[in-house]
């Protein structure tokens, strides 16, 4: 992710980059040529045909053959030049919209404001995408909230990522290295921060990376480690009979609706947990004091999601610690792909089913 020195164009690191750049160069050259031609002629004619005395020039013969030929020429040539743009562009568009059948599958979930990526083999990553070089990669993408757009300039490709729908985008990386991922659709206050890095690796390195990833354990296990490491368990009970009193017990809380100090209610979902970790004073559960410090800066987005995942794994829908704290709430638990904007009910159990749901829906 090291800062590169200024460059006019991003790296051309995919199989399609060359033709996109070629078309772009053609369009720039055609536009530049005609802009220049017109600008020069405007000045030249203005001087040449300026009024010198009071004489009135002879009227132009509208029906002269010469004028007709001129008109045809200056219509047909630009038409031909723009049809080249059309045909060239369409050909690239069709290539980009048809992923090769044997492409490697990677799942991408956009979420305000991060990219969650899941490899078929089970490896997960946040705002990072590790892929092998010279393989066709097909991204199947969806959003948990609003419209995002997965854009890798170095691959010259981007596609909208929509809630309630799958979109695809494919590329074949041809150059090792690290490349930017951007969100190319304004999606809220932190749109500009919705960025990431693609790591194009050699096949052996990629396999090594995959293998090392799975050794870390599931997202929830890693979240639990962070939870313990940060001392969250000193206040928050995280097992059935451990109710410390000072802070809400987290067992069975995910997906329920809780009463807040200010009299309102809120649903315990990913966003709420995330908010409570970063801005604990924002929504305090009724009956508790404002004593929790912020963990902003202590957790990366990646770590945050792991902790959220861990808390989600504490139930109630997880089966493990069932029937613990009564949560008399509606809990609309559907892993839905047709959520409108806003908080998707993440009441699904741990990490696995979401993957399953995703693959299942395809
Ligand atoms: Cu996501 Cu802009």
């Amino acid at each position: 992710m090291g800062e590169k020195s200024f460059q006019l164009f991003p790296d051309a690191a995919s199989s399609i980059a060359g033709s996109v750049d070629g078309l772009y160069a053609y369009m720039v050259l055609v536009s530049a040529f005609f802009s220049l031609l017109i600008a020069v002629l405007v000045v030249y004619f203005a001087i040449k045909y300026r009024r010198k005395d009071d004489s009135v020039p002879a009227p132009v013969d509208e029906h002269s053959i010469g004028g007709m030929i001129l008109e045809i020429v200056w219509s047909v040539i630009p038409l031909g030049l723009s049809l080249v743009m059309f045909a060239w562009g369409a050909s690239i568009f069709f290539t980009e919209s048809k992923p090769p059948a044997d492409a490697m599958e990677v799942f991408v979930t956009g979420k305000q404001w991060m990219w969650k990526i899941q490899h078929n083999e089970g490896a997960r990553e946040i705002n990072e995408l590790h892929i092998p070089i010279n393989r066709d990669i097909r991204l199947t993408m969806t959003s948990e909230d609003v419209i995002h757009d997965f854009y890798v300039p170095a691959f010259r490709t981007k596609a909208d990522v929509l809630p309630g729908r799958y979109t695809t985008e494919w590329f074949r990386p041809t150059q090792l290295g690290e490349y930017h991922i951007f969100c190319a659709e304004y999606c809220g206050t932190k749109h500009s921060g919705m960025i990431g890095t693609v790591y194009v690796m050699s096949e052996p390195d990629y396999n090594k990376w995959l293998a090392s990833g799975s050794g870390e354990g599931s997202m929830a296990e890693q979240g639990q480690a962070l939870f313990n490491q940060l001392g969250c368990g000193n206040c928050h009970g995280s097992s059935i009979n451990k109710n410390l009193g000072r802070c809400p017990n987290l067992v069975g809380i995910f997906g329920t609706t809780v009463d807040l100090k200010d009299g309102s209610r809120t649903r315990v979902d990913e966003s709420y947990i995330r908010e409570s970790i970063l801005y604990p004073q924002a929504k305090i559960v009724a009956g508790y004091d404002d004593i929790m410090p912020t963990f902003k800066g202590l957790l990366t987005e990646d770590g945050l999601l792991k902790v959220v995942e861990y808390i989600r794994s504490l139930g109630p829908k997880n089966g493990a610690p069932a029937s613990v704290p009564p949560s008399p709430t509606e809990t609309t638990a559907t892993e839905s792909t047709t959520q409108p904007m806003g908080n998707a009910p993440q009441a699904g159990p741990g990490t696995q089913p979401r993957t399953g749901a995703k693959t299942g829906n395809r």
Side-chain angles (χ1 to χ4, degrees):
M1 261 185 264
E3 284 307 309
K4 286 184 176 149
S5 58
F6 175 79
Q7 51 183 136
L8 201 53
F9 277 88
D11 295 308
S14 78
S15 55
I16 201 117
S19 40
V20 173
D21 286 353
L23 173 60
Y24 186 74
Y26 171 78
M27 290 167 72
V28 167
L29 285 177
V30 168
S31 311
F33 173 77
F34 282 101
S35 305
L36 214 62
L37 182 70
I38 291 167
V40 167
L41 288 181
V42 162
V43 174
Y44 173 71
F45 288 148
I47 294 169
K48 182 171 183 202
Y49 296 110
R50 72 188 187 279
R51 179 182 253 194
K52 290 166 191 149
D53 46 48
D54 283 342
S55 66
V56 177
V60 176
D61 178 7
E62 290 168 20
H63 304 292
S64 78
I65 290 296
M68 174 80 86
I69 291 172
L70 190 63
E71 298 247 7
I72 290 175
V73 166
W74 75 34
S75 301
V76 168
I77 292 179
L79 176 69
L81 289 171
S82 20
L83 281 181
V84 170
M85 288 177 201
F86 167 72
W88 194 346
S91 132
I92 293 174
F93 177 80
F94 286 129
T95 310
E96 284 206 326
S97 21
K98 277 186 293 188
D102 58 345
M104 192 181 118
E105 191 92 43
V106 178
F107 298 95
V108 174
T109 308
K111 174 183 162 68
Q112 284 169 322
W113 287 274
M114 66 176 87
W115 297 109
K116 300 198 275 182
I117 288 162
Q118 162 96 53
H119 293 255
N120 245 352
E121 294 80 358
R124 286 165 165 272
E125 39 190 344
I126 304 283
N127 293 336
E128 294 189 340
L129 171 59
H130 290 77
I131 43 173
I133 192 170
N134 290 327
R135 286 273 300 276
D136 295 330
I137 314 287
R138 168 199 164 114
L139 306 182
T140 299
M141 309 182 292
T142 190
S143 167
E144 290 186 14
D145 35 49
V146 300
I147 301 178
H148 303 278
D149 188 298
F150 195 90
Y151 179 31
V152 183
F155 295 165
R156 306 291 190 275
T157 182
K158 59 174 158 182
D160 273 6
V161 177
L162 307 165
R165 197 189 293 191
Y166 292 105
T167 54
T168 60
E169 148 174 351
W170 80 275
F171 40 79
R172 184 186 183 90
T174 52
Q175 198 175 299
L176 296 174
E178 300 174 14
Y179 307 102
H180 289 296
I181 299 168
F182 292 115
C183 178
E185 183 71 56
Y186 182 70
C187 54
T189 51
K190 291 186 198 141
H191 156 73
S192 62
M194 193 167 168
I195 54 178
T197 308
V198 180
Y199 297 86
V200 179
M201 317 169 89
S202 67
E203 191 86 38
D205 281 353
Y206 174 72
N207 290 330
K208 219 181 291 169
W209 176 83
L210 264 189
S212 73
S214 52
E216 287 183 307
S218 70
M219 291 271 284
E221 284 164 8
Q222 297 178 54
Q224 183 171 21
L226 281 169
F227 187 88
N228 294 334
Q229 189 186 321
L230 291 167
C232 311
N234 294 339
C235 298
H236 287 285
S238 57
S239 65
I240 300 168
N241 40 20
K242 196 171 152 201
N243 216 336
L244 297 164
R246 275 183 293 171
C247 303
N249 189 314
L250 300 176
V251 179
I253 204 170
F254 200 97
T256 64
T257 302
V258 291
D259 293 317
L260 299 180
K261 211 173 187 177
D262 66 5
S264 62
R265 314 189 79 201
T266 194
R267 202 185 151 70
V268 182
D269 56 12
E270 277 186 332
S271 320
Y272 175 59
I273 291 173
R274 185 174 187 278
E275 179 186 59
S276 298
I277 294 170
L278 299 179
Y279 309 101
Q281 73 292 346
K283 289 177 191 153
I284 297 166
V285 175
Y288 293 93
D289 290 324
D290 179 9
I291 57 169
M292 177 171 160
T294 177
F295 285 80
K296 203 161 185 276
L298 295 174
L299 278 165
T300 58
E301 285 297 346
D302 192 40
L304 211 46
L305 209 75
K306 286 171 183 163
V307 174
V308 170
E309 200 64 53
Y310 168 59
I311 293 171
R312 178 197 310 209
S313 77
L314 294 175
K317 306 233 109 205
N318 198 11
S323 75
V324 194
S327 44
T329 41
E330 75 293 281
T331 311
T332 45
T334 34
E335 175 64 51
S336 161
T337 51
T338 49
Q339 272 305 307
M341 329 253 281
N343 301 330
Q346 296 298 339
T351 58
Q352 298 321 106
R354 302 184 68 214
T355 327
K358 229 181 235 175
T359 17
N361 280 352
R362 285 185 33 77

